[in-house]
Amino acid sequence: MARILIFGNSSSGKSTLAKRLGKNLGLPVLDLDTIVWEASQIAIRRPHEDSAKDLRDFIENHPSWVIEGCYSNLINIALEFSTEIYFLNPSIDQCLENNRNRPWEPQKFQSAAEQAQTFEFLQNWIQQYQERDDEFGYSSHLCIFEKFNGKKQEITENICE
């Protein structure tokens, strides 16, 4: 039974690694973005209780899985069920480059043009990773990584190539 949790900065390669592991191991993949944001709306966050319930339902209904995201409050819920974790921590410059090369994500945006409208915001967001003192920041992710006693790996190279 594999329960793999992947977290890190935006554009660090979380989705890439999650899809790769899910395909190679035959596991369902949950992108936390899909339960955090209101469907078909940009930047409208659902109530935490609703997202947490959806996360717990996914965990309960799948004996093995891959979960990826940047939301420490949800990562902490999944952490207690995880058998292994990956903290993706490439350089800020690498994350910025990955964001520049990000393909259109039709599960998140209705068009490539709509996604492009978020580019500058996301570039600024990525650059603030080390300084942010919130659930999305480096210090929060590092704390999660350090407190986990199971199999874990910090990945600092680019996996998006």
Side-chain angles (χ1 to χ4, degrees):
M1 176 170 51
R3 293 179 170 183
I4 302 168
L5 182 59
I6 303 167
F7 55 94
N9 195 5
S10 182
S11 299
S12 60
K14 299 179 304 293
S15 296
T16 299
L17 180 58
K19 289 174 189 170
R20 191 177 301 153
L21 290 173
K23 181 180 178 185
N24 291 345
L25 300 172
L27 300 176
V29 175
L30 175 63
D31 173 350
L32 292 178
D33 283 343
T34 65
I35 63 170
V36 167
W37 303 105
E38 290 289 349
S40 302
Q41 298 183 46
I42 297 176
I44 305 294
R45 194 158 177 181
R46 298 174 63 214
H48 171 72
E49 300 77 26
D50 294 346
S51 298
K53 181 189 179 309
D54 288 350
L55 174 57
R56 287 184 182 100
D57 288 347
F58 178 85
I59 290 169
E60 186 175 305
N61 289 309
H62 298 89
S64 295
W65 40 256
V66 178
I67 295 174
E68 64 93 354
C70 62
Y71 312 91
S72 292
N73 59 0
L74 294 173
I75 292 165
N76 276 310
I77 292 170
L79 191 67
E80 68 180 276
F81 302 96
S82 299
T83 58
E84 60 186 286
I85 66 171
Y86 293 88
F87 175 25
L88 299 191
N89 192 23
S91 70
I92 297 294
D93 287 341
Q94 187 59 64
C95 291
L96 293 169
E97 182 65 23
N98 290 346
N99 188 47
R100 280 190 281 279
N101 297 322
R102 180 187 300 264
W104 173 43
E105 299 171 298
Q107 72 279 14
K108 296 179 185 178
F109 299 96
Q110 293 181 3
S111 69
E114 183 181 74
Q115 179 173 317
Q117 293 174 1
T118 68
F119 176 76
E120 286 302 324
F121 171 83
L122 196 50
Q123 287 291 89
N124 290 329
W125 179 260
I126 291 166
Q127 289 176 337
Q128 298 166 4
Y129 182 62
Q130 298 282 339
E131 292 86 43
R132 275 198 312 273
D133 189 23
D134 58 17
E135 69 170 314
F136 310 103
Y138 170 77
S139 61
S140 179
H141 292 160
L142 181 61
C143 182
I144 290 168
F145 182 75
E146 288 177 344
K147 78 178 178 183
F148 186 71
N149 291 322
K151 182 178 177 184
K152 60 185 176 182
Q153 183 175 356
E154 179 179 9
I155 300 175
T156 57
E157 69 269 5
N158 184 31
I159 62 157
C160 293
E161 297 175 319

